[in-house]
Amino acid sequence: MQTQAEHYDFPDAKGHFGPYGGVFVAETLQAALLALNHEYEKAKADPAFVAEIQRELKHYVGRPSPIYHARRLSEELGGAQIYLKREDLNHTGAHKVNNTVGQAMLARRMGKRRVIAETGAGQHGVATATVAARYGMECVVYMGSEDIRRQAQNVYRMKLLGATVVPVESGSRTLKDALNEAMRDWVTNVENTFYIIGTVAGPHPYPMMVRDFNSVVGKECLTQMPEMIGRQPDAVLACVGGGSNAMGIFYDYIPHANVRLIGVEAGGEGVATGRHAASLTAGSPGILHGNRTYLIQDANGQIIDTHSVSAGLDYPGVGPEHAWLKDTRRAEYVAINDDEALDAFHRLCRTEGIIPALESSHAVAQAMKMAPAMRKDTVLLVNLSGRGDKEMATVAERSQAVMGTPQ
C-alpha cells in the first residue's frame, strides 16, 4: 500500500494512480493529449493564469461557496451534526463551473475556439455553455436522448446560452453514450476543438486536471471548518458518479488521516438487482473512455447498462483516482438507492428550505443514515454539489409512488 504522502502526489508522469488511469486512446488523439498535458503543466505554473482563474472564480462563479449547518435536519435525526458545502449556490447551480472555467481558459490559451462536452444531468453542459458564451466560443454538447427527456430544463438553458445540443440515440442513451459521441467528435475535429470533460475520468491529463480545478472546494473547507467549529469534520461525504465533486472536496483532505472520506454511489433499485450505477461497490477493473478503472461489466468485459434516478450518476465507470482511494482504503464507498435519495431530497427541502440535486441527495441520504448512531459532537460535512431546479419533472413522476403528493 502506498503512503498518503505518495498518494497525494499522484498521478505519475504517465497518468497512473497505482494500476488505474493512463492513456488508452486512438493514435489520432495521442498527440492532442500530449499537447494538452504540456500546456496544462505550463499554465498551472504561470502566476498570471492562476490569478485569472482565481478572479473568475470570485467575481463570476461567486466563490467561496459557504458552509451551512443543517441544524433542523440534525436535530430531527439526533446524533451527528450535518454541515453542507453549498456548491448549489455557485453560478449555474453546481460545482461543474469550477472546472469549466479552468478548461475554457486553457482552451483560449491553446487557441481553440470550439469547445465540446458530454453531459448527463445537464449541469456540466450548462456550465460549458456558460463559459463558452462568456468567452465567445462555439459550443456543442452531447447528451443522451433519455437524459434530454429527464432534464428538459437544462437542455433549454444550454440552448439559451447559444450551445448546440446533440441528442445521442445509441446504447442506453445516457451519459456513457454521450461521452462516446463527444470522443468521436474530438477525434474528427482535434485541430480546432477543445474537449471539456466534465468528470475525473477519461485519459490523462483529464482526471488530474478536472480534480485540480475542482479542488478549490476542499481548499475552502480546510479554512472554513475551523472558522465554524474550531476543527476539521469527522467525515466528508460526497456523491460519486464519475466523481468530480467528490474528488474536488476529498483531494485536500487526503493527508488528514483523521477525516473519513465517504463516496456515495447510485444504488438504483438496489445493488443486488443489477439495476444500479455503483461501479466501486459492485464493479471490477477494466478499460473505458481512455482509462483503466472500476467498471460495471460482464465476465467478457462488455459494459452493462446502468440505472439511477439521478442522470448525473448514471455512468458505468468512475474516475481512476477514486479506484485507487478504494484500493488503498483511504476512502470508503457505499451505495444509496433511488428511494433513499428521493427521501433525502424531500427531507432537506422540508427541514432546511434547500432543494438539492438528486445527485447530491445521495450524499445527504448517507449522512442521514449515519447521523443517528453518532455522538452529537460528531460532524459530517456533505458536499451539496448542485441544486434541484432540474429535478422537478423527475421528482413529480416519482412522488406519488415514494411518499404521496406533497401537500
Side-chain angles (χ1 to χ4, degrees):
M1 184 183 295
Q2 300 286 325
T3 67
Q4 288 175 10
E6 288 170 329
H7 185 181
Y8 195 66
D9 293 333
F10 274 176
D12 65 17
K14 294 186 178 180
H16 293 111
F17 301 84
Y20 305 107
V23 180
F24 299 87
V25 296
E27 189 175 344
T28 48
L29 287 181
Q30 294 280 355
L33 287 164
L34 285 171
L36 174 60
N37 188 43
H38 177 71
E39 195 60 44
Y40 175 58
E41 292 294 338
K42 284 172 51 181
K44 67 182 182 180
D46 181 352
F49 179 80
V50 173
E52 186 180 9
I53 288 179
Q54 290 173 342
R55 283 195 300 272
E56 287 291 88
L57 291 176
K58 179 178 181 180
H59 297 294
Y60 189 63
V61 175
R63 304 207 69 88
S65 65
I67 291 177
Y68 170 78
H69 184 193
R71 196 179 305 275
R72 285 196 64 227
L73 178 63
S74 302
E75 288 175 355
E76 282 195 7
L77 293 169
Q81 303 304 301
I82 297 174
Y83 286 75
L84 308 175
K85 177 62 169 167
R86 297 292 305 277
E87 291 298 287
D88 59 309
L89 297 179
N90 290 341
H91 181 43
T92 76
H95 73 287
K96 295 291 189 180
V97 71
N98 303 324
N99 169 49
T100 60
V101 163
Q103 290 201 56
M105 287 185 175
L106 197 56
R108 285 196 308 168
R109 187 181 174 103
M110 297 177 73
K112 309 286 187 179
R113 302 303 303 172
R114 178 178 184 265
V115 295
I116 62 173
E118 85 296 332
T119 198
Q123 289 299 98
H124 177 62
V126 169
T128 301
T130 297
V131 295
R134 170 101 170 91
Y135 302 130
M137 296 170 162
E138 178 187 353
C139 179
V140 177
V141 179
Y142 290 91
M143 189 172 189
S145 60
E146 170 61 16
D147 290 338
I148 286 175
R149 182 192 68 80
R150 292 194 282 187
Q151 302 290 344
Q153 183 185 78
N154 273 344
V155 174
Y156 182 71
R157 290 171 74 193
M158 286 181 266
K159 292 179 178 178
L160 192 64
L161 289 159
T164 299
V165 181
V166 179
V168 177
E169 300 291 349
S170 59
S172 58
R173 297 171 295 153
T174 56
L175 182 57
K176 165 181 68 71
D177 313 292
L179 208 152
N180 287 341
E181 290 302 316
M183 292 287 282
R184 291 188 186 103
D185 182 316
W186 195 30
V187 169
T188 305
N189 301 289
V190 69
E191 291 302 320
N192 73 329
T193 295
F194 189 104
Y195 182 11
I196 299 182
I197 286 183
T199 193
V200 287
H204 181 65
Y206 281 104
M208 170 183 69
M209 190 165 64
V210 175
R211 174 202 72 193
D212 290 351
F213 288 138
N214 273 315
S215 67
V216 63
V217 180
K219 287 179 173 63
E220 289 175 2
C221 292
L222 284 176
T223 299
Q224 291 170 316
M225 289 306 293
E227 290 175 349
M228 291 190 74
I229 65 170
R231 62 182 179 87
Q232 297 301 340
D234 297 286
V236 174
L237 297 86
C239 64
V240 177
S244 61
N245 95 88
M247 277 313 309
I249 197 167
F250 285 0
Y251 184 58
D252 280 271
Y253 275 106
I254 291 172
H256 293 256
N258 293 330
V259 179
R260 294 170 65 188
L261 305 179
I262 303 171
V264 187
E265 297 190 289
E269 295 175 3
V271 172
T273 70
R275 295 263 302 155
H276 62 85
S279 52
L280 289 165
T281 303
S284 58
I287 294 171
L288 179 67
H289 295 144
N291 72 111
R292 186 173 190 271
T293 186
Y294 277 84
L295 307 174
I296 300 174
Q297 57 188 337
D298 63 21
N300 297 314
Q302 298 300 304
I303 299 300
I304 299 171
D305 285 348
T306 55
H307 164 77
S308 173
V309 70
S310 165
L313 302 184
D314 200 354
Y315 181 64
V318 66
E321 191 160 9
H322 283 293
W324 186 233
L325 285 172
K326 170 188 167 68
D327 281 9
T328 58
R329 300 182 182 178
R330 178 60 190 93
E332 311 159 43
Y333 295 90
V334 298
I336 285 289
N337 66 36
D338 289 348
D339 288 346
E340 291 171 318
L342 284 159
D343 178 61
F345 173 93
H346 287 288
R347 191 80 172 268
L348 193 62
C349 288
R350 294 179 177 189
T351 58
E352 299 294 346
I354 296 171
I355 303 175
L358 283 173
E359 291 82 6
S360 313
S361 299
H362 285 71
V364 174
Q366 179 61 25
M368 287 170 52
K369 186 177 285 190
M370 294 170 60
M374 293 176 154
R375 291 172 29 158
K376 289 193 175 182
D377 60 353
T378 302
V379 173
L380 304 179
L381 174 61
V382 177
N383 195 11
L384 198 74
S385 55
R387 67 175 179 242
D389 311 47
K390 65 188 179 65
E391 314 294 8
M392 294 304 100
T394 299
V395 172
E397 287 176 8
R398 295 288 297 260
S399 288
Q400 189 63 44
V402 173
M403 59 177 291
T405 303
Q407 299 298 312

